[in-house]
mmCIF file of all heavy atoms in Angstrom:
data_model
loop_
_atom_site.group_PDB
_atom_site.id
_atom_site.type_symbol
_atom_site.label_atom_id
_atom_site.label_comp_id
_atom_site.label_asym_id
_atom_site.label_seq_id
_atom_site.Cartn_x
_atom_site.Cartn_y
_atom_site.Cartn_z
ATOM 1 N N ASP A 70 2.135 38.923 -13.012
ATOM 2 C CA ASP A 70 0.769 39.447 -13.041
ATOM 3 C C ASP A 70 0.672 40.839 -13.662
ATOM 4 O O ASP A 70 -0.368 41.208 -14.198
ATOM 5 C CB ASP A 70 0.173 39.490 -11.638
ATOM 6 C CG ASP A 70 -0.021 38.096 -11.051
ATOM 7 O OD1 ASP A 70 -0.203 37.151 -11.837
ATOM 8 O OD2 ASP A 70 0.033 37.971 -9.818
ATOM 9 N N THR A 71 1.729 41.620 -13.565
ATOM 10 C CA THR A 71 1.684 42.999 -14.057
ATOM 11 C C THR A 71 2.556 43.226 -15.291
ATOM 12 O O THR A 71 2.735 44.361 -15.712
ATOM 13 C CB THR A 71 2.103 43.974 -12.939
ATOM 14 O OG1 THR A 71 3.427 43.655 -12.511
ATOM 15 C CG2 THR A 71 1.138 43.927 -11.775
ATOM 16 N N ARG A 72 3.094 42.173 -15.868
ATOM 17 C CA ARG A 72 3.989 42.317 -17.022
ATOM 18 C C ARG A 72 3.361 43.078 -18.186
ATOM 19 O O ARG A 72 4.012 43.941 -18.777
ATOM 20 C CB ARG A 72 4.492 40.948 -17.471
ATOM 21 C CG ARG A 72 5.608 41.079 -18.489
ATOM 22 C CD ARG A 72 6.488 39.865 -18.585
ATOM 23 N NE ARG A 72 7.064 39.548 -17.287
ATOM 24 C CZ ARG A 72 7.039 38.330 -16.735
ATOM 25 N NH1 ARG A 72 6.491 37.326 -17.356
ATOM 26 N NH2 ARG A 72 7.586 38.126 -15.553
ATOM 27 N N PRO A 73 2.093 42.807 -18.568
ATOM 28 C CA PRO A 73 1.518 43.585 -19.677
ATOM 29 C C PRO A 73 1.432 45.079 -19.372
ATOM 30 O O PRO A 73 1.637 45.910 -20.250
ATOM 31 C CB PRO A 73 0.122 42.986 -19.848
ATOM 32 C CG PRO A 73 0.185 41.646 -19.220
ATOM 33 C CD PRO A 73 1.185 41.744 -18.114
ATOM 34 N N ILE A 74 1.170 45.413 -18.114
ATOM 35 C CA ILE A 74 1.072 46.816 -17.735
ATOM 36 C C ILE A 74 2.447 47.451 -17.785
ATOM 37 O O ILE A 74 2.611 48.577 -18.278
ATOM 38 C CB ILE A 74 0.432 46.962 -16.332
ATOM 39 C CG1 ILE A 74 -1.043 46.537 -16.364
ATOM 40 C CG2 ILE A 74 0.521 48.388 -15.834
ATOM 41 C CD1 ILE A 74 -1.288 45.094 -16.201
ATOM 42 N N LEU A 75 3.473 46.741 -17.310
ATOM 43 C CA LEU A 75 4.839 47.254 -17.362
ATOM 44 C C LEU A 75 5.262 47.497 -18.807
ATOM 45 O O LEU A 75 5.817 48.549 -19.123
ATOM 46 C CB LEU A 75 5.819 46.290 -16.686
ATOM 47 C CG LEU A 75 7.293 46.693 -16.782
ATOM 48 C CD1 LEU A 75 7.547 48.005 -16.050
ATOM 49 C CD2 LEU A 75 8.176 45.587 -16.245
ATOM 50 N N CYS A 76 4.979 46.562 -19.684
ATOM 51 C CA CYS A 76 5.352 46.724 -21.094
ATOM 52 C C CYS A 76 4.636 47.921 -21.716
ATOM 53 O O CYS A 76 5.240 48.685 -22.475
ATOM 54 C CB CYS A 76 5.064 45.442 -21.871
ATOM 55 S SG CYS A 76 6.159 44.096 -21.387
ATOM 56 N N ALA A 77 3.359 48.099 -21.393
ATOM 57 C CA ALA A 77 2.617 49.255 -21.898
ATOM 58 C C ALA A 77 3.203 50.551 -21.342
ATOM 59 O O ALA A 77 3.384 51.532 -22.079
ATOM 60 C CB ALA A 77 1.141 49.133 -21.530
ATOM 61 N N ALA A 78 3.526 50.566 -20.066
ATOM 62 C CA ALA A 78 4.101 51.759 -19.436
ATOM 63 C C ALA A 78 5.454 52.101 -20.049
ATOM 64 O O ALA A 78 5.724 53.261 -20.368
ATOM 65 C CB ALA A 78 4.239 51.547 -17.932
ATOM 66 N N LEU A 79 6.299 51.104 -20.244
ATOM 67 C CA LEU A 79 7.615 51.359 -20.829
ATOM 68 C C LEU A 79 7.500 51.794 -22.281
ATOM 69 O O LEU A 79 8.313 52.591 -22.767
ATOM 70 C CB LEU A 79 8.512 50.134 -20.681
ATOM 71 C CG LEU A 79 8.937 49.810 -19.252
ATOM 72 C CD1 LEU A 79 9.742 48.511 -19.201
ATOM 73 C CD2 LEU A 79 9.720 50.962 -18.631
ATOM 74 N N GLY A 80 6.483 51.296 -22.976
ATOM 75 C CA GLY A 80 6.232 51.758 -24.336
ATOM 76 C C GLY A 80 5.922 53.245 -24.373
ATOM 77 O O GLY A 80 6.373 53.970 -25.262
ATOM 78 N N VAL A 81 5.166 53.715 -23.393
ATOM 79 C CA VAL A 81 4.856 55.144 -23.288
ATOM 80 C C VAL A 81 6.113 55.913 -22.888
ATOM 81 O O VAL A 81 6.424 56.953 -23.468
ATOM 82 C CB VAL A 81 3.717 55.383 -22.276
ATOM 83 C CG1 VAL A 81 3.555 56.865 -21.982
ATOM 84 C CG2 VAL A 81 2.420 54.791 -22.795
ATOM 85 N N VAL A 82 6.847 55.398 -21.926
ATOM 86 C CA VAL A 82 8.051 56.077 -21.429
ATOM 87 C C VAL A 82 9.063 56.277 -22.557
ATOM 88 O O VAL A 82 9.679 57.338 -22.662
ATOM 89 C CB VAL A 82 8.676 55.294 -20.246
ATOM 90 C CG1 VAL A 82 10.072 55.768 -19.926
ATOM 91 C CG2 VAL A 82 7.775 55.419 -19.020
ATOM 92 N N THR A 83 9.232 55.287 -23.418
ATOM 93 C CA THR A 83 10.224 55.415 -24.493
ATOM 94 C C THR A 83 9.808 56.444 -25.534
ATOM 95 O O THR A 83 10.637 56.858 -26.344
ATOM 96 C CB THR A 83 10.484 54.063 -25.190
ATOM 97 O OG1 THR A 83 9.266 53.566 -25.751
ATOM 98 C CG2 THR A 83 11.086 53.057 -24.223
ATOM 99 N N ARG A 84 8.561 56.876 -25.519
ATOM 100 C CA ARG A 84 8.083 57.893 -26.466
ATOM 101 C C ARG A 84 8.073 59.305 -25.877
ATOM 102 O O ARG A 84 7.756 60.261 -26.567
ATOM 103 C CB ARG A 84 6.684 57.532 -26.953
ATOM 104 C CG ARG A 84 6.678 56.315 -27.833
ATOM 105 C CD ARG A 84 5.260 56.018 -28.314
ATOM 106 N NE ARG A 84 5.199 54.784 -29.050
ATOM 107 C CZ ARG A 84 4.867 53.607 -28.541
ATOM 108 N NH1 ARG A 84 4.548 53.512 -27.261
ATOM 109 N NH2 ARG A 84 4.835 52.532 -29.290
ATOM 110 N N ILE A 85 8.397 59.436 -24.605
ATOM 111 C CA ILE A 85 8.440 60.759 -23.983
ATOM 112 C C ILE A 85 9.617 61.520 -24.580
ATOM 113 O O ILE A 85 10.728 61.008 -24.613
ATOM 114 C CB ILE A 85 8.580 60.643 -22.452
ATOM 115 C CG1 ILE A 85 7.330 59.993 -21.857
ATOM 116 C CG2 ILE A 85 8.829 62.007 -21.821
ATOM 117 C CD1 ILE A 85 7.444 59.670 -20.381
ATOM 118 N N PRO A 86 9.380 62.741 -25.071
ATOM 119 C CA PRO A 86 10.464 63.484 -25.709
ATOM 120 C C PRO A 86 11.485 63.995 -24.701
ATOM 121 O O PRO A 86 11.190 64.141 -23.519
ATOM 122 C CB PRO A 86 9.740 64.646 -26.394
ATOM 123 C CG PRO A 86 8.466 64.801 -25.652
ATOM 124 C CD PRO A 86 8.104 63.446 -25.112
ATOM 125 N N GLY A 87 12.686 64.251 -25.201
ATOM 126 C CA GLY A 87 13.750 64.817 -24.388
ATOM 127 C C GLY A 87 15.012 63.996 -24.483
ATOM 128 O O GLY A 87 14.968 62.796 -24.773
ATOM 129 N N PRO A 88 16.153 64.627 -24.231
ATOM 130 C CA PRO A 88 17.434 63.909 -24.324
ATOM 131 C C PRO A 88 17.619 62.873 -23.217
ATOM 132 O O PRO A 88 18.305 61.879 -23.397
ATOM 133 C CB PRO A 88 18.487 65.008 -24.229
ATOM 134 C CG PRO A 88 17.785 66.158 -23.572
ATOM 135 C CD PRO A 88 16.336 66.042 -23.928
ATOM 136 N N VAL A 89 16.988 63.113 -22.068
ATOM 137 C CA VAL A 89 17.045 62.182 -20.945
ATOM 138 C C VAL A 89 15.620 61.927 -20.472
ATOM 139 O O VAL A 89 14.860 62.862 -20.241
ATOM 140 C CB VAL A 89 17.886 62.733 -19.769
ATOM 141 C CG1 VAL A 89 17.905 61.745 -18.617
ATOM 142 C CG2 VAL A 89 19.297 63.069 -20.213
ATOM 143 N N VAL A 90 15.263 60.660 -20.352
ATOM 144 C CA VAL A 90 13.957 60.269 -19.830
ATOM 145 C C VAL A 90 14.217 59.633 -18.465
ATOM 146 O O VAL A 90 15.052 58.736 -18.338
ATOM 147 C CB VAL A 90 13.246 59.281 -20.775
ATOM 148 C CG1 VAL A 90 11.902 58.888 -20.211
ATOM 149 C CG2 VAL A 90 13.091 59.885 -22.158
ATOM 150 N N HIS A 91 13.493 60.099 -17.466
ATOM 151 C CA HIS A 91 13.697 59.642 -16.094
ATOM 152 C C HIS A 91 12.621 58.632 -15.718
ATOM 153 O O HIS A 91 11.445 58.818 -16.023
ATOM 154 C CB HIS A 91 13.647 60.835 -15.135
ATOM 155 C CG HIS A 91 14.665 61.874 -15.450
ATOM 156 N ND1 HIS A 91 15.911 61.883 -14.871
ATOM 157 C CD2 HIS A 91 14.641 62.920 -16.315
ATOM 158 C CE1 HIS A 91 16.603 62.890 -15.343
ATOM 159 N NE2 HIS A 91 15.857 63.538 -16.226
ATOM 160 N N LEU A 92 13.038 57.572 -15.036
ATOM 161 C CA LEU A 92 12.101 56.564 -14.539
ATOM 162 C C LEU A 92 12.349 56.407 -13.047
ATOM 163 O O LEU A 92 13.374 55.875 -12.627
ATOM 164 C CB LEU A 92 12.303 55.237 -15.276
ATOM 165 C CG LEU A 92 11.256 54.160 -15.031
ATOM 166 C CD1 LEU A 92 9.859 54.646 -15.418
ATOM 167 C CD2 LEU A 92 11.592 52.915 -15.820
ATOM 168 N N ASP A 93 11.418 56.923 -12.258
ATOM 169 C CA ASP A 93 11.522 56.870 -10.797
ATOM 170 C C ASP A 93 10.926 55.556 -10.319
ATOM 171 O O ASP A 93 9.742 55.286 -10.519
ATOM 172 C CB ASP A 93 10.785 58.057 -10.187
ATOM 173 C CG ASP A 93 10.995 58.186 -8.691
ATOM 174 O OD1 ASP A 93 11.348 57.179 -8.034
ATOM 175 O OD2 ASP A 93 10.781 59.292 -8.173
ATOM 176 N N LEU A 94 11.749 54.738 -9.677
ATOM 177 C CA LEU A 94 11.325 53.423 -9.188
ATOM 178 C C LEU A 94 11.176 53.401 -7.672
ATOM 179 O O LEU A 94 11.095 52.325 -7.070
ATOM 180 C CB LEU A 94 12.347 52.361 -9.629
ATOM 181 C CG LEU A 94 12.586 52.255 -11.135
ATOM 182 C CD1 LEU A 94 13.741 51.301 -11.427
ATOM 183 C CD2 LEU A 94 11.328 51.812 -11.848
ATOM 184 N N SER A 95 11.109 54.569 -7.041
ATOM 185 C CA SER A 95 11.059 54.632 -5.577
ATOM 186 C C SER A 95 9.824 53.964 -4.991
ATOM 187 O O SER A 95 9.844 53.517 -3.841
ATOM 188 C CB SER A 95 11.151 56.082 -5.099
ATOM 189 O OG SER A 95 10.068 56.841 -5.607
ATOM 190 N N ALA A 96 8.745 53.876 -5.746
ATOM 191 C CA ALA A 96 7.512 53.265 -5.242
ATOM 192 C C ALA A 96 7.317 51.844 -5.753
ATOM 193 O O ALA A 96 6.247 51.264 -5.592
ATOM 194 C CB ALA A 96 6.309 54.127 -5.622
ATOM 195 N N VAL A 97 8.363 51.264 -6.338
ATOM 196 C CA VAL A 97 8.291 49.879 -6.823
ATOM 197 C C VAL A 97 8.811 48.964 -5.719
ATOM 198 O O VAL A 97 9.919 49.137 -5.227
ATOM 199 C CB VAL A 97 9.115 49.689 -8.118
ATOM 200 C CG1 VAL A 97 9.188 48.229 -8.513
ATOM 201 C CG2 VAL A 97 8.522 50.507 -9.242
#
Side-chain angles (χ1 to χ4, degrees):
D70 294 332
T71 59
R72 190 158 303 130
I74 292 85
L75 176 64
C76 291
L79 291 176
V81 170
V82 166
T83 60
R84 291 181 186 96
I85 295 172
V89 179
V90 180
H91 302 268
L92 190 59
D93 188 338
L94 302 173
S95 60
V97 173

